[in-house]
Amino acid sequence: KAGVTQTPRYLIKTRGQQVTLSCSPISGHRSVSWYQQTPGQGLQFLFEYFSETQRNKGNFPGRFSGRQFSNSRSEMNVSTLELGDSALYLCASSLVGGENEKLFFGSGTQLSVL
Amino acid sequence: GNSVTQMEGPVTLSEEAFLTINCTYTATGYPSLFWYVQYPGEGLQLLLKATKADDKGSNKGFEATYRKETTSFHLEKGSVQVSDSAVYFCALTSTNSGYSTLTFGKGTMLLVSP
């Protein structure tokens, strides 16, 4: 069974640009969550999608958005990039997103904003 | 709000030494508690979990006991190996959120030397 797949693995962008990251969950998983990991702030929750609907959202500005498709694949978009957006973006999937469910994480997309 | 506090790293040990990584939490409701591990260049993997007070989670020689009275979930291993070198994250979900929204500690790096 394939794991959670995130593409691309690395991205370099400049300030003001926008970026789209992709996540393919484990087959059969319908809940997809996104996290931002930085050395200073650690891991912070961005949002969670289930059946194409955003169920939960973390404390990030509106420049951060996401969506989920009918096949459960998810994308997140960051517009008007800032230097502080440089981070490892992790996607995680689970069956239905229950609170005791095991989350399966991808290897992440490392975004560098210059 | 929910929060998780972990001891700062890095923790440097020799092979076969005893490991303790401290974790305390603040949460509303009745959280489930988790330890995740991140190996270099990879995403997070669930190491163990406990869903109610006095539960002990265990996996691969690691153990942690859910202590409600001290709001703690310390990670222990009796004899560490070089292959245990990684970053360890303590995390929680709470019944208030209901979904797979994890609040993470900032992580503790473990370095094990031969």
Side-chain angles (χ1 to χ4, degrees):
Chain A
K1 202 177 200 182
V4 178
T5 304
Q6 291 188 246
T7 56
R9 186 72 179 90
Y10 301 95
L11 264 179
I12 300 175
K13 293 284 187 180
T14 56
R15 277 183 301 174
Q17 287 186 310
Q18 74 154 18
V19 67
T20 299
L21 313 181
S22 179
C23 172
S24 293
I26 289 173
S27 178
H29 285 193
R30 294 165 61 194
S31 170
V32 174
S33 302
W34 288 89
Y35 291 83
Q36 181 196 65
Q37 185 178 18
T38 59
Q41 298 298 317
L43 279 150
Q44 294 185 287
F45 171 74
L46 281 154
F47 26 65
E48 187 248 352
Y49 286 86
F50 178 78
S51 290
E52 302 177 64
T53 301
Q54 186 182 88
R55 283 200 301 201
N56 254 323
K57 189 177 190 304
N59 190 25
F60 278 81
R63 300 185 296 107
F64 291 82
S65 63
R67 59 179 176 167
Q68 187 180 34
F69 302 94
S70 58
N71 62 358
S72 294
R73 189 177 71 85
S74 177
E75 289 181 347
M76 68 163 282
N77 184 275
V78 188
S79 62
T80 321
L81 283 166
E82 300 176 0
L83 295 179
D85 297 333
S86 295
L88 179 66
Y89 290 87
L90 291 167
C91 166
S93 76
S94 64
L95 280 169
V96 295
E99 68 171 295
N100 294 324
E101 275 191 307
K102 178 178 177 177
L103 291 187
F104 293 82
F105 283 82
S107 297
T109 293
Q110 183 68 53
L111 172 64
S112 298
V113 182
L114 306 178
Chain B
N2 297 339
S3 67
V4 176
T5 303
Q6 290 180 236
M7 60 190 290
E8 295 227 2
V11 173
T12 305
L13 295 173
S14 297
E15 207 165 24
E16 299 183 4
F18 184 86
L19 168 71
T20 300
I21 299 178
N22 290 337
C23 169
T24 57
Y25 66 89
T26 303
T28 55
Y30 301 93
S32 295
L33 302 174
F34 304 81
W35 277 101
Y36 279 82
V37 58
Q38 185 176 34
Y39 298 101
E42 298 183 14
L44 279 70
Q45 302 174 28
L46 178 64
L47 182 59
L48 52 85
K49 70 176 186 181
T51 57
K52 61 182 188 296
D54 299 324
D55 267 2
K56 178 186 280 189
S58 61
N59 186 25
K60 298 181 182 178
F62 290 90
E63 292 183 341
T65 301
Y66 188 141
R67 300 285 187 203
K68 194 167 185 292
E69 64 276 12
T70 54
T71 61
S72 65
F73 193 54
H74 304 321
L75 182 68
E76 296 182 335
K77 186 175 186 183
S79 176
V80 293
Q81 306 300 312
V82 172
S83 58
D84 294 327
S85 297
V87 181
Y88 292 81
F89 293 90
C90 185
L92 65 83
T93 59
S94 72
T95 53
N96 289 339
S97 67
Y99 303 120
S100 293
T101 303
L102 287 166
T103 300
F104 286 92
K106 293 204 170 179
T108 303
M109 179 178 287
L110 170 65
L111 299 171
V112 181
S113 56

